Each structure stands twice: as structure tokens, then as C-alpha cells.
Amino acid sequence: MSHLLEIKNLSVNFPSRRGQVAAVNQVSISVETGEVLGLVGESGAGKSTVGNSVINLLEPPGYISGGEIIFDGIRIDQKSNEDMRKIRGAKIGTIFQDPQTSLNPLMTIGKQLSETLIETLKISGSSAREKSIELLESVGIPNPLALAGDPDLIIADEPTTALDVSIQKQILDLIKSLCKARNLGVIIVTHDIGVIAEIADRVAVMYNGQLVEQGTVKQVLQKPKHDYTKSLISAVPSGDKKLHRFTVVDYIDGSEEKVTLENVSEHWLSKNKSSETHKTAISVKDLSIEFSIRQALFRKNRIFMKAVDNVSLQIQTGESFGLVGESGSGKSTLARLIAGLYQPKSGEIDIFGHDVLQRNQKAKTSLIRRKMQMIFQDPYSSLNSRMTVEDIISEPIRFHRSTLNSNETSKVVNDLISFVGMPKAALKKYPHEFSGGQRQRISIARALASRPEILICDEPTSALDVSVQANILNLLKDLQEELSLTMLFISHDLPVIRQMCDRVAVMQNGKICEIAKTDTLFDDPQHEYSKHLLGLMPRMDLFRL
């Protein structure tokens, strides 16, 4: 039987100071026309390297050290880059993980589409424009470039990472419908088991450069054979019931350290306990903010969009409060208003009973604001790449002058790095030397350095592997319990919200649709929009072991 794509015993090496590193080792998979193959694994598994090998876009100095890649009956792994240019786009389309970096911001979408069509199909400019319009209509806009050359195979590398459930559902439905309508072969490269359950026909599981298991989605997800696959599936947050802790992938050999909390000094913990006695940590009343948008480039006339529209809510001291909604719903803007990063147009914000918008009490407001810290979605961009971890964590301590001397500062920094499950040796290193999960732990340690009583977590695990996510979320649970933190937790991942939060607010178009206890919301949502969001949640409970 002839496959659309057949990869035989593929090996990819990267030279290093310590010799050759095998990023992919003897991997064999195939893809048929009209089929979606899910290639799943965590960061460093080698799955993206397999996809890049197919289209001859390996990052230097990586190279194919063994095996064969056969596409449509022709071996392509030995073809020159010039020959592969005729295949890329025309025969094999690629959807990259971050469309913002794969599209030229200085060119219109129409021009970029036309350029691809002219290059791959050798058609005129007017014909390219007509086909561009047709393509945009056929895909409902997202990712039309991958289809511009009318390919037979599409490689989609993490096409839904960090997207909300609604957009994710649209893109997955689009890929699946195009696969069937055009009889395409599709490889979905992802770390998200929920995506695999939603769209794939077959799944191949990779770990540490090797293929450990493959089969139909039903076979692999319902009756996994390999221990790593079992651990990976068990670590996916449950959307059907609340558990005390997240299951940690225990198969991994030291790529992520287990979180073990060490006792921070009594002196530090005692300072962390608030003198405030208010039962309500955060109170927001009739809060609104709007942003102006130019209607057209170089024109002075603007339109105003209400990002947060007359929102009121209360978060109790020690509570974990969830905020969910689609992209553009206003949840991150609301968090930034509470954190003091934006100034509202109208409304009130009380933190531990103090009106932080009062202009005549700046000193008191500054003291209150110090009790609040934010953990951002991308730990890499939120950490200064030129500072060591020690300097990053100690910076807020020095800024607020919250220790008596440098010796006490060093003691606190050492306590904090241990507290978040990182070795003390990490303090002398720089952010680029760590994985995404480790960088997020460093971000948490920095957030704790000013002894906050409120943590605002804005999508803190959205782009992390499930094993790393489980560790980080368990850590946050432990921190909340140990330090009696109040937590505002923003996420598009509904199962994560169910596991992390006591109550949840649902936002749409800048307004609060519904506020309820977490189990009540998930089991019996009242608002139509809440029902809509929950209906889009991937049903991983169908594949539980």
C-alpha cells in the first residue's frame, strides 16, 4: 500500500560540545490521504523536529543522520533546498505555531497570499488575487497561507496553543473539514491531548526523540500501552470533577524537578501575614475602561471600545477566584485594572477595604499595591534576560527595602528559590538556561519576593506541557494554602479553572455574565454564554483510564 507520506527510521542529530545529540532516533510513521495524524509529546520530545525534517527546514546545525522520507512515492530527504522550494507550499503546506511571527506585518494578507500563489502555482497577479479571495472565504480567514499552493499534505505545528476554547474549536473543525473536503493528509504536532482527542484519526506518541506508541486515537487514549503515555493522559486536568491535586507525570527522568516545598524562614512568613482583617480582599464596583481605535491609518477620527463595561465583583480573602471568557472578553484588562497597570474611566477598586483610586492617599495606596503581584503568561518575556535569577528575585526586595541587610536578602532569595522547587544553583544562571516551566517557577519566586497577599495569575500555564503545568498548578495550590494567598486566576483552559478555583466569573464583551461556585457553574450553568463555553470544552473524560 502506498502512503501519502512515509517516514522510515528517521534520525536527526544536533552537534554539541559534548558530541552528537539525537533529537530524533529511529522514528517511523506514515500518513494517508484524508487522515489526521496526531504527533504528540512534550517539549524536547522531537515532534517539531520530525515536521521540520519533512519540509527540510531543520534549524542549523541540525541534520538528518539516517532514515528516509518518502512523499507521494518520491524520496525527498535527499533533495536540494532548491528542489524542496518547489514542494513546500505547492505540495506540502505548513501552519506554524505563532502566526504573528510567520506573517509579514508590513504586507497585507492579500499580498502575502498572492505572492505564495504566484510562486507555487505560476499564475498571474490577477488570477492570484481572485484565488486569494476564494481561499479566505473557504477557511473563514485563519491560516489561509498553508492552503495557498493547493497542497496534498499539511503540517500544523501547535496550531491552537494559547487559544481560547471557541477559537480552538473553530480552527480544529476547519482543519478537519478541509482534510475531508480536499482529501488532504494532515499532521497535527501538539502537546495537547485534548486537541488529539478532538481531531485526530490516529496518534503517535513521542518521548525523548523516540516513538513510544502509535495507533488509533481510541486505542491509544483508552488503552495506552506505554507507561509514558499513561502518565501523559493522567496528567490532563479533569473537566468533569474537581480533584485535590493534579496528577504529575512521574515517568520523566529529571527533566522537571518534583515540587517540594521547603520552609521559608519564620521571620519571612510572619512578615507575609497581613495586619488587615478584612474578609474581602478585592472589591470592584461599576468598573469601566475604554480604548480608542483609529478607523483607518493616518486618519484622526477614532472609535471607542469598552474593554471592561460596568463590572462589579468581590473576591474574599484566601479565595481562589477564576475569570474565564474568550479572547477580547476583557478578563486580562480587568486584571490589569485591579493590579494598577491601567487606570479606569469610572468605577471603584477597593483592596482590603482601601480605595486604591484615591489620589490623595498615594502612600497608603502604594503600601496596599505592594501586597499584590502578577504572574504573566509568558515567563520568558517577563524576566530580564540580562539579569541572573538571583538579581531577578532580589530586585523587588531591594526596591521595597523589605530586608535589613544584604545577608537577610540572600537568605530570603535562597528560601524562595527552594520554596518553588528549584535548586539553589539556579540563582547564578540566566533565564535562557531554563525550560518554560522552570522560568515560570522563577517568575513565581519573584512575585513572592515582595510578600504579596494577592496573586493575579494571567494564563500562567497556557503554553506549558501537561507535566510542567501539573507541577506549576500544584505549586500554586501549595503556596495558597501555606501563605493564605488570595488568588485571581485567569485562564481559557476550563478544566484548569475547575481544579484551581473556588468561584468563577464568566466574561463576555467586557461584561460579567455569571458568577457562581465552580462546581455549580460546571454542573449547572445558568447563562447561555456559559453553556456555550462549557459545550466547547474537549471531552477528555471519555478517555479516562
Side-chain angles (χ1 to χ4, degrees):
M1 177 182 173
S2 179
H3 307 285
L4 174 62
L5 177 72
E6 187 172 13
I7 299 174
K8 297 181 178 179
N9 300 317
L10 178 68
S11 293
V12 177
N13 282 15
F14 283 82
S16 74
R17 295 175 185 175
R18 294 183 288 257
Q20 299 290 320
V21 176
V24 174
N25 188 9
Q26 297 280 307
V27 167
S28 297
I29 55 175
S30 62
V31 183
E32 314 300 329
T33 55
E35 176 187 52
V36 178
L37 173 72
L39 192 57
V40 68
E42 299 184 285
S43 298
K47 56 191 187 299
S48 291
T49 303
V50 171
N52 290 336
S53 299
V54 173
I55 55 176
N56 193 24
L57 286 181
L58 283 172
E59 291 186 20
Y63 66 97
I64 295 175
S65 57
E68 301 176 12
I69 301 174
I70 301 167
F71 173 69
D72 203 14
I74 300 171
R75 185 172 178 180
I76 62 173
D77 58 283
Q78 296 179 329
K79 285 187 175 293
S80 67
N81 190 50
E82 188 62 32
D83 288 338
M84 282 303 298
R85 284 189 65 184
K86 298 173 184 177
I87 295 174
R88 286 195 297 262
K91 295 295 182 181
I92 303 176
T94 307
I95 302 173
F96 295 100
Q97 179 173 347
D98 184 0
Q100 199 163 16
T101 58
S102 61
L103 299 176
N104 190 330
L106 301 178
M107 292 173 64
T108 65
I109 296 299
K111 189 170 183 180
Q112 291 183 68
L113 275 171
S114 296
E115 186 182 71
T116 306
L117 291 165
I118 292 167
E119 173 67 23
T120 57
L121 300 184
K122 310 300 180 187
I123 59 178
S124 67
S126 58
S127 297
R129 179 177 173 77
E130 289 178 10
K131 188 164 179 61
S132 296
I133 295 170
E134 178 189 327
L135 280 165
L136 288 167
E137 290 175 346
S138 72
V139 300
I141 295 176
N143 291 312
L145 290 173
L147 294 171
D150 200 17
D152 299 313
L153 174 71
I154 290 179
I155 300 173
D157 192 355
E158 300 281 7
T160 61
T161 294
L163 298 181
D164 60 56
V165 287
S166 179
I167 303 300
Q168 174 178 285
K169 175 74 170 159
Q170 291 175 35
I171 289 178
L172 294 180
D173 286 348
L174 171 64
I175 291 173
K176 196 157 191 175
S177 64
L178 288 170
C179 175
K180 301 305 178 187
R182 296 190 174 211
N183 208 26
L184 303 172
V186 177
I187 300 177
I188 293 279
V189 179
T190 184
H191 67 266
D192 192 331
I193 300 289
V195 168
I196 294 297
E198 191 82 14
I199 189 175
D201 301 303
R202 290 191 302 119
V203 58
V205 183
M206 289 190 68
Y207 169 69
N208 200 25
Q210 296 184 314
L211 187 67
V212 297
E213 185 166 357
Q214 62 178 315
T216 67
V217 169
K218 187 175 182 179
Q219 287 171 345
V220 174
L221 297 190
Q222 283 192 345
K223 296 181 179 179
K225 298 176 181 177
H226 198 277
D227 287 343
Y228 174 69
T229 311
K230 293 174 183 177
S231 291
L232 203 60
I233 294 169
S234 66
V236 179
S238 173
D240 55 321
K241 62 181 179 179
K242 191 166 186 173
L243 306 172
H244 177 63
R245 290 183 71 77
F246 291 85
T247 304
V248 175
V249 176
D250 55 10
Y251 183 79
I252 297 179
D253 305 321
S255 61
E256 282 290 329
E257 295 184 19
K258 301 280 182 69
V259 173
T260 55
L261 295 182
E262 295 183 10
N263 290 326
V264 178
S265 65
E266 289 296 322
H267 174 61
W268 187 254
L269 282 176
S270 65
K271 283 187 176 182
N272 191 63
K273 293 177 181 176
S274 174
S275 59
E276 305 284 351
T277 57
H278 294 278
K279 292 183 179 179
T280 302
I282 301 172
S283 178
V284 170
K285 185 177 180 182
D286 301 329
L287 198 64
S288 294
I289 188 174
E290 58 186 26
F291 297 108
S292 63
I293 304 171
R294 287 187 179 184
Q295 286 184 302
L297 197 62
F298 305 124
R299 292 186 183 177
K300 293 182 180 179
N301 52 319
R302 295 171 177 267
I303 57 173
F304 291 88
M305 179 191 70
K306 281 194 174 182
V308 172
D309 188 4
N310 204 38
V311 165
S312 298
L313 58 82
Q314 288 189 338
I315 302 175
Q316 303 307 310
T317 301
E319 182 180 28
S320 181
F321 189 89
L323 204 54
V324 300
E326 296 172 280
S327 298
S329 63
K331 55 189 188 297
S332 290
T333 302
L334 177 57
R336 282 162 170 74
L337 284 166
I338 293 171
L341 301 179
Y342 294 159
Q343 287 298 309
K345 181 182 179 183
S346 60
E348 300 175 12
I349 303 174
D350 284 6
I351 307 297
F352 294 121
H354 175 73
D355 182 357
V356 294
L357 299 179
Q358 284 184 356
R359 296 178 181 271
N360 59 350
Q361 294 192 33
K362 288 185 178 180
K364 176 73 171 175
T365 296
S366 178
L367 185 65
I368 294 292
R369 288 284 189 202
R370 201 177 83 181
K371 298 173 185 279
M372 185 185 307
Q373 288 293 320
M374 197 160 183
I375 301 171
F376 295 93
Q377 178 175 347
D378 181 4
Y380 194 74
S381 61
S382 65
L383 298 176
N384 190 328
S385 60
R386 297 186 178 185
M387 294 172 67
T388 65
V389 171
E390 185 173 23
D391 289 336
I392 287 170
I393 297 173
S394 62
E395 185 180 37
I397 298 173
R398 293 193 179 101
F399 178 80
H400 293 296
R401 299 177 181 178
S402 49
T403 54
L404 299 175
N405 51 51
S406 59
N407 288 336
E408 187 182 354
T409 301
S410 295
K411 173 69 169 69
V412 169
V413 170
N414 276 273
D415 285 343
L416 286 171
I417 200 68
S418 298
F419 200 46
V420 297
M422 293 279 288
K424 289 183 175 64
L427 292 172
K428 302 301 180 184
K429 297 181 180 180
Y430 291 85
H432 73 271
E433 299 180 72
F434 299 96
S435 69
Q438 289 170 327
R439 285 197 292 265
Q440 197 61 290
R441 290 189 202 173
I442 293 166
S443 296
I444 293 170
R446 180 185 60 181
L448 294 175
S450 63
R451 298 191 300 271
E453 296 171 46
I454 298 171
L455 271 186
I456 299 176
C457 304
D458 191 359
E459 302 278 9
T461 62
S462 65
L464 299 180
D465 296 326
V466 288
S467 66
V468 182
Q469 174 178 269
N471 270 317
I472 294 294
L473 295 176
N474 280 339
L475 170 61
L476 288 172
K477 278 178 174 257
D478 290 339
L479 290 172
Q480 185 186 21
E481 184 177 336
E482 193 86 11
L483 303 178
S484 301
L485 293 171
T486 302
M487 194 178 299
L488 173 57
F489 199 96
I490 301 166
S491 180
H492 67 267
D493 192 324
L494 296 173
V496 166
I497 287 288
R498 180 155 204 175
Q499 301 307 314
M500 290 297 296
C501 301
D502 303 308
R503 288 190 302 141
V504 184
V506 181
M507 286 193 74
Q508 182 187 29
N509 298 329
K511 293 179 179 291
I512 298 284
C513 299
E514 182 173 357
I515 299 178
K517 289 183 177 180
T518 303
D519 285 343
T520 302
L521 180 76
F522 276 77
D523 294 338
D524 188 24
Q526 298 300 304
H527 195 278
E528 287 303 315
Y529 180 67
S530 303
K531 295 176 183 177
H532 166 73
L533 274 185
L534 292 168
L536 298 174
M537 186 171 59
R539 296 297 306 277
M540 276 303 299
D541 53 300
L542 300 176
F543 298 102
R544 293 289 167 191
L545 302 181

mmCIF file of all heavy atoms in Angstrom, residues 38 40 193 196 201-205 212-226 229-230 232-233 543 545:
data_model
loop_
_atom_site.group_PDB
_atom_site.id
_atom_site.type_symbol
_atom_site.label_atom_id
_atom_site.label_comp_id
_atom_site.label_asym_id
_atom_site.label_seq_id
_atom_site.Cartn_x
_atom_site.Cartn_y
_atom_site.Cartn_z
ATOM 1 N N GLY A 38 -2.112 12.676 14.703
ATOM 2 C CA GLY A 38 -1.658 13.489 15.820
ATOM 3 C C GLY A 38 -0.281 13.044 16.264
ATOM 4 O O GLY A 38 -0.068 11.866 16.557
ATOM 5 N N VAL A 40 2.132 13.653 19.167
ATOM 6 C CA VAL A 40 2.020 14.254 20.494
ATOM 7 C C VAL A 40 3.246 13.941 21.345
ATOM 8 O O VAL A 40 3.866 12.888 21.202
ATOM 9 C CB VAL A 40 0.723 13.775 21.196
ATOM 10 C CG1 VAL A 40 0.786 12.294 21.528
ATOM 11 C CG2 VAL A 40 0.440 14.578 22.456
ATOM 12 N N ILE A 193 -3.276 16.865 24.648
ATOM 13 C CA ILE A 193 -4.018 15.614 24.450
ATOM 14 C C ILE A 193 -5.471 15.901 24.073
ATOM 15 O O ILE A 193 -6.094 15.160 23.312
ATOM 16 C CB ILE A 193 -3.967 14.745 25.725
ATOM 17 C CG1 ILE A 193 -2.524 14.399 26.085
ATOM 18 C CG2 ILE A 193 -4.777 13.474 25.536
ATOM 19 C CD1 ILE A 193 -1.864 13.433 25.167
ATOM 20 N N ILE A 196 -5.776 16.271 20.390
ATOM 21 C CA ILE A 196 -5.693 14.949 19.757
ATOM 22 C C ILE A 196 -7.044 14.237 19.837
ATOM 23 O O ILE A 196 -7.526 13.660 18.854
ATOM 24 C CB ILE A 196 -4.606 14.097 20.443
ATOM 25 C CG1 ILE A 196 -3.221 14.695 20.214
ATOM 26 C CG2 ILE A 196 -4.654 12.651 19.966
ATOM 27 C CD1 ILE A 196 -2.781 14.739 18.772
ATOM 28 N N ASP A 201 -7.333 11.101 13.784
ATOM 29 C CA ASP A 201 -7.788 9.728 13.495
ATOM 30 C C ASP A 201 -6.834 8.719 14.131
ATOM 31 O O ASP A 201 -7.256 7.731 14.715
ATOM 32 C CB ASP A 201 -7.835 9.500 11.979
ATOM 33 C CG ASP A 201 -8.772 10.468 11.282
ATOM 34 O OD1 ASP A 201 -9.962 10.499 11.648
ATOM 35 O OD2 ASP A 201 -8.323 11.210 10.390
ATOM 36 N N ARG A 202 -5.540 8.997 13.977
ATOM 37 C CA ARG A 202 -4.521 8.175 14.619
ATOM 38 C C ARG A 202 -3.584 9.080 15.411
ATOM 39 O O ARG A 202 -3.527 10.276 15.172
ATOM 40 C CB ARG A 202 -3.703 7.377 13.582
ATOM 41 C CG ARG A 202 -4.478 6.250 12.902
ATOM 42 C CD ARG A 202 -3.558 5.345 12.089
ATOM 43 N NE ARG A 202 -2.840 6.101 11.068
ATOM 44 C CZ ARG A 202 -1.509 6.207 11.011
ATOM 45 N NH1 ARG A 202 -0.755 5.629 11.939
ATOM 46 N NH2 ARG A 202 -0.931 6.910 10.051
ATOM 47 N N VAL A 203 -2.835 8.474 16.344
ATOM 48 C CA VAL A 203 -1.923 9.268 17.170
ATOM 49 C C VAL A 203 -0.601 8.520 17.325
ATOM 50 O O VAL A 203 -0.580 7.298 17.454
ATOM 51 C CB VAL A 203 -2.552 9.586 18.551
ATOM 52 C CG1 VAL A 203 -2.924 8.330 19.301
ATOM 53 C CG2 VAL A 203 -1.617 10.446 19.391
ATOM 54 N N ALA A 204 0.494 9.300 17.256
ATOM 55 C CA ALA A 204 1.830 8.769 17.516
ATOM 56 C C ALA A 204 2.401 9.549 18.701
ATOM 57 O O ALA A 204 2.386 10.778 18.696
ATOM 58 C CB ALA A 204 2.720 8.917 16.285
ATOM 59 N N VAL A 205 2.888 8.831 19.706
ATOM 60 C CA VAL A 205 3.384 9.456 20.935
ATOM 61 C C VAL A 205 4.909 9.412 20.934
ATOM 62 O O VAL A 205 5.511 8.348 20.769
ATOM 63 C CB VAL A 205 2.847 8.738 22.195
ATOM 64 C CG1 VAL A 205 3.322 9.439 23.462
ATOM 65 C CG2 VAL A 205 1.327 8.668 22.163
ATOM 66 N N VAL A 212 7.211 6.059 21.090
ATOM 67 C CA VAL A 212 6.972 5.048 22.113
ATOM 68 C C VAL A 212 5.659 4.288 21.905
ATOM 69 O O VAL A 212 5.492 3.186 22.433
ATOM 70 C CB VAL A 212 6.994 5.674 23.530
ATOM 71 C CG1 VAL A 212 8.370 6.241 23.831
ATOM 72 C CG2 VAL A 212 5.927 6.742 23.700
ATOM 73 N N GLU A 213 4.738 4.890 21.122
ATOM 74 C CA GLU A 213 3.451 4.222 20.916
ATOM 75 C C GLU A 213 2.693 4.902 19.786
ATOM 76 O O GLU A 213 2.782 6.111 19.600
ATOM 77 C CB GLU A 213 2.626 4.294 22.204
ATOM 78 C CG GLU A 213 1.312 3.521 22.164
ATOM 79 C CD GLU A 213 0.698 3.349 23.543
ATOM 80 O OE1 GLU A 213 1.309 3.776 24.550
ATOM 81 O OE2 GLU A 213 -0.399 2.771 23.612
ATOM 82 N N GLN A 214 1.972 4.100 18.994
ATOM 83 C CA GLN A 214 1.084 4.683 17.997
ATOM 84 C C GLN A 214 -0.087 3.744 17.732
ATOM 85 O O GLN A 214 -0.018 2.547 17.966
ATOM 86 C CB GLN A 214 1.830 5.000 16.699
ATOM 87 C CG GLN A 214 2.441 3.829 15.960
ATOM 88 C CD GLN A 214 3.106 4.288 14.662
ATOM 89 O OE1 GLN A 214 2.551 5.073 13.903
ATOM 90 N NE2 GLN A 214 4.316 3.797 14.413
ATOM 91 N N GLY A 215 -1.188 4.320 17.265
ATOM 92 C CA GLY A 215 -2.390 3.552 16.982
ATOM 93 C C GLY A 215 -3.555 4.495 16.761
ATOM 94 O O GLY A 215 -3.380 5.716 16.646
ATOM 95 N N THR A 216 -4.766 3.979 16.700
ATOM 96 C CA THR A 216 -5.928 4.848 16.578
ATOM 97 C C THR A 216 -6.089 5.647 17.861
ATOM 98 O O THR A 216 -5.581 5.263 18.925
ATOM 99 C CB THR A 216 -7.212 4.040 16.337
ATOM 100 O OG1 THR A 216 -7.504 3.263 17.508
ATOM 101 C CG2 THR A 216 -7.073 3.122 15.122
ATOM 102 N N VAL A 217 -6.782 6.774 17.768
ATOM 103 C CA VAL A 217 -6.978 7.614 18.947
ATOM 104 C C VAL A 217 -7.674 6.828 20.056
ATOM 105 O O VAL A 217 -7.281 6.914 21.232
ATOM 106 C CB VAL A 217 -7.792 8.876 18.584
ATOM 107 C CG1 VAL A 217 -8.225 9.619 19.833
ATOM 108 C CG2 VAL A 217 -6.966 9.799 17.704
ATOM 109 N N LYS A 218 -8.678 6.066 19.694
ATOM 110 C CA LYS A 218 -9.412 5.291 20.688
ATOM 111 C C LYS A 218 -8.507 4.279 21.379
ATOM 112 O O LYS A 218 -8.531 4.129 22.613
ATOM 113 C CB LYS A 218 -10.598 4.580 20.032
ATOM 114 C CG LYS A 218 -11.521 3.879 21.016
ATOM 115 C CD LYS A 218 -12.743 3.312 20.312
ATOM 116 C CE LYS A 218 -13.686 2.645 21.325
ATOM 117 N NZ LYS A 218 -14.892 2.109 20.655
ATOM 118 N N GLN A 219 -7.666 3.588 20.576
ATOM 119 C CA GLN A 219 -6.756 2.593 21.155
ATOM 120 C C GLN A 219 -5.782 3.228 22.132
ATOM 121 O O GLN A 219 -5.607 2.768 23.267
ATOM 122 C CB GLN A 219 -5.956 1.906 20.033
ATOM 123 C CG GLN A 219 -6.738 0.931 19.187
ATOM 124 C CD GLN A 219 -5.937 0.467 17.977
ATOM 125 O OE1 GLN A 219 -4.916 1.065 17.627
ATOM 126 N NE2 GLN A 219 -6.402 -0.583 17.316
ATOM 127 N N VAL A 220 -5.141 4.297 21.700
ATOM 128 C CA VAL A 220 -4.058 4.888 22.493
ATOM 129 C C VAL A 220 -4.592 5.626 23.721
ATOM 130 O O VAL A 220 -4.027 5.523 24.807
ATOM 131 C CB VAL A 220 -3.202 5.832 21.623
ATOM 132 C CG1 VAL A 220 -2.169 6.570 22.476
ATOM 133 C CG2 VAL A 220 -2.503 5.038 20.520
ATOM 134 N N LEU A 221 -5.684 6.372 23.573
ATOM 135 C CA LEU A 221 -6.187 7.160 24.698
ATOM 136 C C LEU A 221 -7.004 6.340 25.691
ATOM 137 O O LEU A 221 -7.037 6.654 26.876
ATOM 138 C CB LEU A 221 -7.008 8.341 24.190
ATOM 139 C CG LEU A 221 -6.258 9.379 23.344
ATOM 140 C CD1 LEU A 221 -7.127 10.614 23.122
ATOM 141 C CD2 LEU A 221 -4.945 9.784 23.984
ATOM 142 N N GLN A 222 -7.671 5.296 25.217
ATOM 143 C CA GLN A 222 -8.454 4.467 26.140
ATOM 144 C C GLN A 222 -7.636 3.335 26.757
ATOM 145 O O GLN A 222 -7.807 3.009 27.931
ATOM 146 C CB GLN A 222 -9.682 3.883 25.427
ATOM 147 C CG GLN A 222 -10.807 4.863 25.241
ATOM 148 C CD GLN A 222 -12.098 4.174 24.803
ATOM 149 O OE1 GLN A 222 -12.081 3.022 24.377
ATOM 150 N NE2 GLN A 222 -13.198 4.878 24.905
ATOM 151 N N LYS A 223 -6.719 2.771 25.966
ATOM 152 C CA LYS A 223 -5.925 1.643 26.459
ATOM 153 C C LYS A 223 -4.457 1.830 26.099
ATOM 154 O O LYS A 223 -3.891 1.059 25.312
ATOM 155 C CB LYS A 223 -6.454 0.326 25.887
ATOM 156 C CG LYS A 223 -7.864 -0.025 26.334
ATOM 157 C CD LYS A 223 -8.323 -1.351 25.751
ATOM 158 C CE LYS A 223 -9.728 -1.709 26.223
ATOM 159 N NZ LYS A 223 -10.197 -3.003 25.627
ATOM 160 N N PRO A 224 -3.825 2.858 26.661
ATOM 161 C CA PRO A 224 -2.407 3.085 26.355
ATOM 162 C C PRO A 224 -1.545 1.940 26.878
ATOM 163 O O PRO A 224 -1.812 1.393 27.947
ATOM 164 C CB PRO A 224 -2.102 4.401 27.093
ATOM 165 C CG PRO A 224 -3.107 4.477 28.186
ATOM 166 C CD PRO A 224 -4.345 3.823 27.645
ATOM 167 N N LYS A 225 -0.508 1.616 26.115
ATOM 168 C CA LYS A 225 0.363 0.502 26.499
ATOM 169 C C LYS A 225 1.628 0.981 27.204
ATOM 170 O O LYS A 225 2.128 0.315 28.108
ATOM 171 C CB LYS A 225 0.730 -0.320 25.259
ATOM 172 C CG LYS A 225 -0.465 -0.963 24.576
ATOM 173 C CD LYS A 225 -0.047 -1.678 23.303
ATOM 174 C CE LYS A 225 -1.257 -2.298 22.597
ATOM 175 N NZ LYS A 225 -0.881 -2.934 21.309
ATOM 176 N N HIS A 226 2.149 2.112 26.775
ATOM 177 C CA HIS A 226 3.421 2.581 27.322
ATOM 178 C C HIS A 226 3.191 3.391 28.595
ATOM 179 O O HIS A 226 2.228 4.148 28.705
ATOM 180 C CB HIS A 226 4.139 3.440 26.271
ATOM 181 C CG HIS A 226 5.598 3.608 26.538
ATOM 182 N ND1 HIS A 226 6.080 4.563 27.403
ATOM 183 C CD2 HIS A 226 6.683 2.934 26.064
ATOM 184 C CE1 HIS A 226 7.412 4.478 27.432
ATOM 185 N NE2 HIS A 226 7.801 3.505 26.634
ATOM 186 N N THR A 229 2.829 7.173 28.035
ATOM 187 C CA THR A 229 1.518 7.560 27.507
ATOM 188 C C THR A 229 0.481 7.578 28.621
ATOM 189 O O THR A 229 -0.344 8.494 28.716
ATOM 190 C CB THR A 229 1.071 6.592 26.397
ATOM 191 O OG1 THR A 229 2.129 6.418 25.458
ATOM 192 C CG2 THR A 229 -0.148 7.117 25.674
ATOM 193 N N LYS A 230 0.524 6.575 29.491
ATOM 194 C CA LYS A 230 -0.405 6.515 30.625
ATOM 195 C C LYS A 230 -0.244 7.741 31.529
ATOM 196 O O LYS A 230 -1.226 8.363 31.947
ATOM 197 C CB LYS A 230 -0.171 5.235 31.434
ATOM 198 C CG LYS A 230 -0.523 3.951 30.696
ATOM 199 C CD LYS A 230 -0.139 2.727 31.508
ATOM 200 C CE LYS A 230 -0.415 1.440 30.728
ATOM 201 N NZ LYS A 230 0.030 0.233 31.470
ATOM 202 N N LEU A 232 1.058 10.656 30.725
ATOM 203 C CA LEU A 232 0.702 11.859 29.980
ATOM 204 C C LEU A 232 -0.809 12.087 30.005
ATOM 205 O O LEU A 232 -1.290 13.201 30.244
ATOM 206 C CB LEU A 232 1.192 11.725 28.533
ATOM 207 C CG LEU A 232 1.415 12.993 27.722
ATOM 208 C CD1 LEU A 232 2.459 13.871 28.381
ATOM 209 C CD2 LEU A 232 1.849 12.633 26.302
ATOM 210 N N ILE A 233 -1.565 11.024 29.790
ATOM 211 C CA ILE A 233 -3.028 11.132 29.771
ATOM 212 C C ILE A 233 -3.566 11.443 31.175
ATOM 213 O O ILE A 233 -4.476 12.259 31.343
ATOM 214 C CB ILE A 233 -3.652 9.836 29.216
ATOM 215 C CG1 ILE A 233 -3.274 9.654 27.741
ATOM 216 C CG2 ILE A 233 -5.171 9.848 29.366
ATOM 217 C CD1 ILE A 233 -3.619 8.294 27.176
ATOM 218 N N PHE A 543 -11.967 9.454 27.710
ATOM 219 C CA PHE A 543 -10.771 8.633 27.539
ATOM 220 C C PHE A 543 -10.060 8.352 28.855
ATOM 221 O O PHE A 543 -8.928 7.895 28.859
ATOM 222 C CB PHE A 543 -9.786 9.345 26.590
ATOM 223 C CG PHE A 543 -10.345 9.542 25.209
ATOM 224 C CD1 PHE A 543 -10.830 10.778 24.822
ATOM 225 C CD2 PHE A 543 -10.400 8.502 24.318
ATOM 226 C CE1 PHE A 543 -11.342 10.973 23.549
ATOM 227 C CE2 PHE A 543 -10.910 8.677 23.045
ATOM 228 C CZ PHE A 543 -11.383 9.911 22.659
ATOM 229 N N LEU A 545 -8.634 6.668 32.135
ATOM 230 C CA LEU A 545 -8.279 5.274 32.401
ATOM 231 C C LEU A 545 -9.125 4.714 33.531
ATOM 232 O O LEU A 545 -9.490 5.419 34.436
ATOM 233 C CB LEU A 545 -6.790 5.197 32.799
ATOM 234 C CG LEU A 545 -5.797 5.743 31.760
ATOM 235 C CD1 LEU A 545 -4.381 5.575 32.274
ATOM 236 C CD2 LEU A 545 -5.965 5.035 30.442
#
